[in-house]
Short mmCIF file of all heavy atoms in Angstrom, two decimals:
data_model
loop_
_atom_site.label_atom_id
_atom_site.label_comp_id
_atom_site.label_asym_id
_atom_site.label_seq_id
_atom_site.Cartn_x
_atom_site.Cartn_y
_atom_site.Cartn_z
N SER B 403 -26.20 -32.42 -32.01
CA SER B 403 -26.00 -32.39 -30.54
C SER B 403 -26.41 -31.05 -29.96
O SER B 403 -25.94 -30.72 -28.87
CB SER B 403 -24.53 -32.58 -30.24
OG SER B 403 -23.89 -33.46 -31.11
N TRP B 404 -27.25 -30.35 -30.66
CA TRP B 404 -27.71 -29.06 -30.07
C TRP B 404 -28.79 -29.30 -29.06
O TRP B 404 -29.52 -30.31 -29.08
CB TRP B 404 -28.26 -28.14 -31.21
CG TRP B 404 -27.21 -27.60 -32.05
CD1 TRP B 404 -25.88 -27.86 -32.02
CD2 TRP B 404 -27.36 -26.68 -33.15
NE1 TRP B 404 -25.19 -27.19 -32.96
CE2 TRP B 404 -26.07 -26.44 -33.70
CE3 TRP B 404 -28.46 -25.99 -33.67
CZ2 TRP B 404 -25.89 -25.57 -34.77
CZ3 TRP B 404 -28.28 -25.10 -34.77
CH2 TRP B 404 -26.97 -24.91 -35.32
N GLY B 405 -28.93 -28.40 -28.14
CA GLY B 405 -29.97 -28.56 -27.09
C GLY B 405 -30.24 -27.22 -26.39
O GLY B 405 -29.68 -26.21 -26.77
N MET B 406 -31.19 -27.29 -25.45
CA MET B 406 -31.50 -26.10 -24.68
C MET B 406 -31.31 -26.42 -23.18
O MET B 406 -31.36 -27.61 -22.80
CB MET B 406 -32.94 -25.64 -24.95
CG MET B 406 -33.19 -25.08 -26.28
SD MET B 406 -32.33 -23.48 -26.54
CE MET B 406 -33.35 -22.39 -25.59
N TYR B 407 -31.10 -25.40 -22.43
CA TYR B 407 -30.92 -25.57 -21.02
C TYR B 407 -32.20 -25.13 -20.26
O TYR B 407 -32.65 -24.00 -20.45
CB TYR B 407 -29.72 -24.80 -20.50
CG TYR B 407 -29.53 -24.86 -19.03
CD1 TYR B 407 -29.24 -26.02 -18.41
CD2 TYR B 407 -29.59 -23.71 -18.28
CE1 TYR B 407 -29.07 -26.11 -17.03
CE2 TYR B 407 -29.35 -23.72 -16.92
CZ TYR B 407 -29.08 -24.93 -16.30
OH TYR B 407 -28.91 -25.01 -14.95
N HIS B 408 -32.73 -26.03 -19.46
CA HIS B 408 -33.92 -25.69 -18.68
C HIS B 408 -33.62 -25.89 -17.21
O HIS B 408 -33.67 -27.05 -16.74
CB HIS B 408 -35.16 -26.53 -19.09
CG HIS B 408 -35.47 -26.39 -20.54
ND1 HIS B 408 -36.04 -25.27 -21.08
CD2 HIS B 408 -35.23 -27.21 -21.58
CE1 HIS B 408 -36.17 -25.41 -22.42
NE2 HIS B 408 -35.69 -26.59 -22.70
N PRO B 409 -33.31 -24.82 -16.50
CA PRO B 409 -33.08 -25.01 -15.06
C PRO B 409 -34.32 -25.50 -14.33
O PRO B 409 -35.42 -25.07 -14.68
CB PRO B 409 -32.68 -23.60 -14.55
CG PRO B 409 -33.07 -22.67 -15.63
CD PRO B 409 -33.18 -23.44 -16.89
N THR B 410 -34.13 -26.45 -13.43
CA THR B 410 -35.31 -27.02 -12.73
C THR B 410 -35.61 -26.26 -11.44
O THR B 410 -34.82 -25.37 -11.06
CB THR B 410 -35.08 -28.48 -12.35
OG1 THR B 410 -33.94 -28.50 -11.45
CG2 THR B 410 -34.72 -29.31 -13.57
N ALA B 411 -36.65 -26.57 -10.74
CA ALA B 411 -36.98 -25.97 -9.47
C ALA B 411 -35.83 -26.16 -8.48
O ALA B 411 -35.54 -25.28 -7.67
CB ALA B 411 -38.24 -26.58 -8.90
N TRP B 412 -35.14 -27.29 -8.58
CA TRP B 412 -33.99 -27.53 -7.65
C TRP B 412 -32.86 -26.62 -7.92
O TRP B 412 -32.15 -26.22 -7.02
CB TRP B 412 -33.56 -29.01 -7.71
CG TRP B 412 -34.62 -29.92 -7.25
CD1 TRP B 412 -35.46 -30.73 -8.02
CD2 TRP B 412 -35.08 -30.06 -5.86
NE1 TRP B 412 -36.34 -31.37 -7.23
CE2 TRP B 412 -36.16 -30.98 -5.91
CE3 TRP B 412 -34.72 -29.49 -4.63
CZ2 TRP B 412 -36.83 -31.38 -4.76
CZ3 TRP B 412 -35.35 -29.88 -3.52
CH2 TRP B 412 -36.43 -30.80 -3.57
N ASP B 413 -32.63 -26.29 -9.20
CA ASP B 413 -31.58 -25.30 -9.49
C ASP B 413 -31.90 -23.98 -8.81
O ASP B 413 -31.05 -23.37 -8.18
CB ASP B 413 -31.49 -25.08 -11.05
CG ASP B 413 -30.78 -26.21 -11.75
OD1 ASP B 413 -29.63 -26.53 -11.35
OD2 ASP B 413 -31.33 -26.76 -12.72
N TRP B 414 -33.13 -23.59 -8.98
CA TRP B 414 -33.52 -22.29 -8.42
C TRP B 414 -33.50 -22.34 -6.88
O TRP B 414 -33.06 -21.39 -6.24
CB TRP B 414 -34.95 -21.87 -8.85
CG TRP B 414 -34.94 -21.42 -10.30
CD1 TRP B 414 -35.49 -22.07 -11.37
CD2 TRP B 414 -34.41 -20.19 -10.84
NE1 TRP B 414 -35.32 -21.37 -12.52
CE2 TRP B 414 -34.64 -20.16 -12.21
CE3 TRP B 414 -33.73 -19.14 -10.22
CZ2 TRP B 414 -34.25 -19.14 -13.02
CZ3 TRP B 414 -33.30 -18.09 -11.05
CH2 TRP B 414 -33.58 -18.10 -12.46
N SER B 415 -33.98 -23.46 -6.30
CA SER B 415 -34.01 -23.49 -4.87
C SER B 415 -32.56 -23.48 -4.30
O SER B 415 -32.33 -22.88 -3.22
CB SER B 415 -34.80 -24.71 -4.37
OG SER B 415 -34.09 -25.90 -4.62
N THR B 416 -31.64 -24.14 -4.97
CA THR B 416 -30.28 -24.10 -4.49
C THR B 416 -29.70 -22.71 -4.59
O THR B 416 -28.98 -22.25 -3.67
CB THR B 416 -29.40 -25.10 -5.30
OG1 THR B 416 -30.12 -26.32 -5.40
CG2 THR B 416 -28.09 -25.37 -4.66
N PHE B 417 -30.02 -22.04 -5.74
CA PHE B 417 -29.47 -20.67 -5.88
C PHE B 417 -30.05 -19.73 -4.83
O PHE B 417 -29.32 -19.04 -4.11
CB PHE B 417 -29.88 -20.18 -7.28
CG PHE B 417 -29.37 -18.81 -7.62
CD1 PHE B 417 -28.14 -18.35 -7.15
CD2 PHE B 417 -30.15 -17.91 -8.36
CE1 PHE B 417 -27.73 -17.06 -7.42
CE2 PHE B 417 -29.71 -16.63 -8.61
CZ PHE B 417 -28.48 -16.20 -8.19
N LEU B 418 -31.37 -19.78 -4.65
CA LEU B 418 -32.00 -18.99 -3.59
C LEU B 418 -31.47 -19.32 -2.26
O LEU B 418 -31.23 -18.46 -1.40
CB LEU B 418 -33.50 -19.23 -3.62
CG LEU B 418 -34.36 -18.40 -4.61
CD1 LEU B 418 -35.78 -18.81 -4.52
CD2 LEU B 418 -34.16 -16.90 -4.33
N GLY B 419 -31.22 -20.61 -2.04
CA GLY B 419 -30.66 -21.07 -0.75
C GLY B 419 -29.33 -20.46 -0.47
O GLY B 419 -29.03 -20.06 0.65
N THR B 420 -28.45 -20.37 -1.49
CA THR B 420 -27.14 -19.82 -1.15
C THR B 420 -27.23 -18.28 -0.91
O THR B 420 -26.51 -17.74 -0.10
CB THR B 420 -26.09 -20.02 -2.32
OG1 THR B 420 -26.70 -19.72 -3.56
CG2 THR B 420 -25.59 -21.45 -2.32
N ILE B 421 -28.23 -17.65 -1.60
CA ILE B 421 -28.43 -16.24 -1.25
C ILE B 421 -28.84 -16.12 0.21
O ILE B 421 -28.37 -15.27 0.96
CB ILE B 421 -29.49 -15.62 -2.22
CG1 ILE B 421 -28.94 -15.54 -3.62
CG2 ILE B 421 -29.90 -14.23 -1.70
CD1 ILE B 421 -29.88 -15.00 -4.64
N GLY B 422 -29.72 -17.07 0.62
CA GLY B 422 -30.13 -17.10 2.01
C GLY B 422 -28.97 -17.31 2.98
O GLY B 422 -28.83 -16.62 4.00
N LEU B 423 -28.14 -18.28 2.60
CA LEU B 423 -26.98 -18.59 3.47
C LEU B 423 -26.07 -17.34 3.61
O LEU B 423 -25.66 -16.98 4.71
CB LEU B 423 -26.22 -19.75 2.86
CG LEU B 423 -24.86 -20.12 3.57
CD1 LEU B 423 -25.17 -20.62 4.94
CD2 LEU B 423 -24.14 -21.19 2.77
#
Side-chain angles (χ1 to χ4, degrees):
Chain B
S403 326
W404 288 4
M406 289 293 285
Y407 176 62
H408 303 286
T410 62
W412 294 107
D413 281 308
W414 286 109
S415 69
T416 314
F417 180 38
L418 277 177
T420 46
I421 292 177
L423 175 65

